[in-house]
Structures are given as structure tokens and as C-alpha cells.
């Protein structure tokens, strides 16, 4: 009996100003150890670098690569445009600075079959190309940096609330109408929430790894994490009960440090114990995180940790209620799966 051909796969990629990594990211897709048919759909935002030129070169070099416009530049709009332009039953989300491991797609397709999940995902394996990026990668993969998030630090395979990027069954995406474009960030969490609410399963597996390139500067990292914090507060308001102590730690630290600095400057030097204690904690925590790195990278880990914590906390604290109200007004009810309807 002839061996059954694996299902065809569509890889969707939202890109904006990704000239540094786009070609390498697409290469990691096209060189996948996967026997099934494959296409790559790149959704092009309004980049100000050579991203569009590189994408055009990739299209000319390989017939499997296509592009679609994303004039808004917003990630969820890009993803929806790419989904609409793609055609295969398995949809793999990849970012323009993500590098798939060689057997990523084959493993994900196997896991979809074995688990019956609607979406599977794995580890966001941060890896730098210079000392600063090495420091950020170490911070992003340490528990002192991101807590116990499995897709950062690893963990046991099993059901999850959300996963990094994701490999979806197309019918699950189309049934939910794709991504909610009001979620400029946290769109993965919101979509996975609707999939779970509809009776579908989200599955995490450490077998799946994507190399991730960290932001190249303190300023870029701060903006990234401020946006994360702002949108995590939107999620908390959108879905009561989704917050936990891990998410409250950064805003609590921001408030405590600010209060300590004010008290230390205006009342008593004892107030400085709080910010000093925080600095001591992240410095101590950076020692195991920096194992094996260069001295230049190790000394920058506390800077990366402080940037991540303070920016995330500030974003959470300053997230406007009006943004949450706008997002809540756009709430899409989950569309139940046929199996869930029958129960």
C-alpha cells in the first residue's frame, strides 16, 4: 500500500521592517524536512527598509513564495490577509524574525494528528547575534525574567491557554473568523481563547522550537515590553479571571520602586532599600542566566531584566480603560465546533 502523502501546509508570515532576518527566516521554512506540499504567504506591511525588495527576490527565486499587501502594518490584519490568500488545510504562523527548527512542521502536523488539537505550539527559543541580544535572550529564557511561562522556559507537553505562534487546522481558524484585528498585541491569546471556548484544544509541546531574534536595543526592547504590559491589562479586562500573580509582579515592582525612591529622597534613606533590593535581586538572578555567555553579555543581563520588568509594569499600569472598552465592544462570540454542538 503506498504511503499516504502528508497534508499540504500554508506558512503565513506578517512582516514589517524585517530586512535583517526575512531571507534567513524564509530559508528555514523552505528547507523544512517535510514531504507534503508547502506554500509561504508573506503579508507586507509599510516597511521603511529593504523588506519589500527582499520579499520580491524571494518570490522570484521560489514559486512556493507569495506576498499580499497589509497597508495597516498591524499584525492581526497581516495574519488575516495571509490566511485569506493561502489555501492549504494546515496553517503555520511564523514571524519575520523567527527561525523554524528543521523538523518543526513535520512534528507539528504529527502532534495535531496525535492530540486532535486545533492548534499546537512550542518554545520561543530566544537566541542573539551579539552581546546585547545574548543578554536579552538570557533574560527572556530565565524564570526571573518571564516567570514560569512554558513557551519561554520549557515544560511538559499538554493542554495550554495559548502557545507561541501556532500551527492550526484551517477549519478552526476559519470557523472563528480569524484574528480579532482590534488586538494589536495579544491577538494569539484572544484567538486561542475563542478556540478553547468553542471546545477546541490548544496543545503545548517542547518538541516544537522556533529560534527568536531579540530586539536590538534597549529602546526597542522597552517599547516591546511596554506594549506587552499594556495589552495584557486589556486581556485582563476583556476576560475576568485571566490574571495571575506572575502578571502582577512587574506593576507591583514599578510601584514599590517608585515609592521607595520618593520616600528615600524626601523622608528617609531607608526608602532606598526597596530599589536597592530589586537591583541586588536581578543582579544575583543574572548570574545563572548568563552561564556560558561572554562577559560583555553577562554584565548587560541586569539591564535587560530591568528594562523588561519596568517597561512591562509601566505599560500595564498606564493601559487606558478606553482601549479595553473598544476591544470588548469588538468581542466575537466563539463559534462552537460541531462536536461541541452535539454535546
Amino acid at each position: 500500500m503506498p504511503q499516504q502523502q502528508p497534508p499540504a501546509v500554508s506558512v503565513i508570515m506578517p512582516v514589517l521592517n524585517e530586512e535583517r532576518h526575512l531571507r534567513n527566516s524564509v530559508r528555514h521554512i523552505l528547507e523544512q524536512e517535510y514531504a507534503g506540499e508547502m506554500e509561504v504567504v508573506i503579508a507586507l506591511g509599510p516597511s521603511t527598509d529593504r523588506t519589500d525588495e527582499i520579499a520580491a527576490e524571494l518570490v522570484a527565486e521560489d514559486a512556493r513564495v507569495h506576498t499580499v499587501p497589509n497597508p495597516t502594518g498591524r499584525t492581526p490584519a497581516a495574519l488575516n490577509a495571509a490566511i485569506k490568500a493561502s489555501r492549504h488545510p494546515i496553517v503555520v504562523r511564523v514571524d519575520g524574525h523567527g527561525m523554524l527548527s528543521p523538523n518543526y512542521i513535520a512534528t507539528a502536523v504529527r502532534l495535531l494528528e496525535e492530540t486532535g488539537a486545533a492548534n499546537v505550539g512550542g518554545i520561543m527559543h530566544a537566541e542573539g547575534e551579539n552581546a546585547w541580544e545574548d543578554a536579552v535572550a538570557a533574560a527572556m529564557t530565565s524564570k526571573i525574567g518571564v516567570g514560569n511561562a512554558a513557551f519561554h522556559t520549557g515544560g511538559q507537553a499538554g493542554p495550554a491557554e495559548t502557545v507561541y505562534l501556532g500551527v492550526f487546522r484551517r477549519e478552526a481558524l476559519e470557523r472563528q473568523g480569524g484574528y480579532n484585528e482590534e488586538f494589536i498585541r495579544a491577538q494569539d491569546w484572544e484567538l486561542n481563547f475563542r478556540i478553547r471556548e468553542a471546545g477546541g484544544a490548544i496543545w503545548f509541546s517542547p518538541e516544537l522550537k522556533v529560534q527568536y531574534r531579540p530586539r536590538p536595543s534597549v529602546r526597542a526592547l522597552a517599547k516591546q515590553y511596554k506594549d506587552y504590559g499594556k495589552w495584557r491589562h486589556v486581556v485582563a479586562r476583556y476576560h475576568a479571571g485571566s490574571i495571575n500573580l506572575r502578571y502582577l509582579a512587574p506593576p507591583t515592582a514599578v510601584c514599590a520602586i517608585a515609592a521607595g525612591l520618593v520616600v528615600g529622597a524626601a523622608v528617609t534613606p531607608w526608602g532606598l532599600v526597596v530599589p536597592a533590593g530589586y537591583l541586588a535581586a536581578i543582579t544575583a538572578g543574572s548570574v545563572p542566566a548568563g552561564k556560558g555567555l561572554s562577559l560583555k553579555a553577562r554584565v548587560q543581563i541586569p539591564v535587560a531584566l530591568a528594562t523588561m520588568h519596568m517597561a512591562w509594569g509601566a505599560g500595564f499600569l498606564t493601559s487606558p480603560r478606553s482601549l479595553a472598552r473598544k476591544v470588548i465592544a469588538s468581542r466575537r462570540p466563539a463559534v462552537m465546533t460541531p462536536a461541541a454542538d452535539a454535546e
Side-chain angles (χ1 to χ4, degrees), residues 12 14 40 66 81 95 104 125 142 186 202 209-210 214 234 261 325:
I12 59 172
V40 181
H66 315 281
D95 285 342
Y104 180 89
H125 182 64
S142 70
I202 311 301
K209 289 186 179 181
V210 181
V234 171
L261 290 172
R325 285 195 293 267

Side-chain angles (χ1 to χ4, degrees), residues 30 37 65 106 108 117 158 183 254 319 340:
L30 298 177
E37 185 181 351
V65 181
F183 273 83
V254 169
S319 182

Side-chain angles (χ1 to χ4, degrees), residues 5-25:
Q5 183 79 356
V9 167
S10 296
V11 181
I12 59 172
M13 178 182 288
V15 298
L16 180 68
N17 295 325
E18 290 287 2
E19 68 172 359
R20 183 179 170 194
H21 300 300
L22 179 58
R23 177 171 287 279
N24 198 24
S25 182

Side-chain angles (χ1 to χ4, degrees), residues 195-219:
I195 290 173
R196 288 186 292 108
E197 197 173 46
I202 311 301
W203 188 266
F204 166 82
S205 173
E207 291 183 77
L208 298 172
K209 289 186 179 181
V210 181
Q211 288 183 7
Y212 168 87
R213 298 293 186 244
R215 294 298 193 270
S217 67
V218 172
R219 182 176 180 179

Side-chain angles (χ1 to χ4, degrees), residues 5 11 13 27 34 59 83 91 96 103 112 148 203 211 215 221 235 251 255-256 258 263 268 294 299 309 323 330:
Q5 183 79 356
V11 181
M13 178 182 288
R27 179 179 64 81
Y34 187 67
V59 171
I83 292 167
V91 179
N103 61 349
L112 284 172
N148 60 351
W203 188 266
Q211 288 183 7
R215 294 298 193 270
L221 182 67
V235 166
C255 292
V263 171
T268 172
S294 68
V299 298
H309 294 160
L323 180 59
S330 74

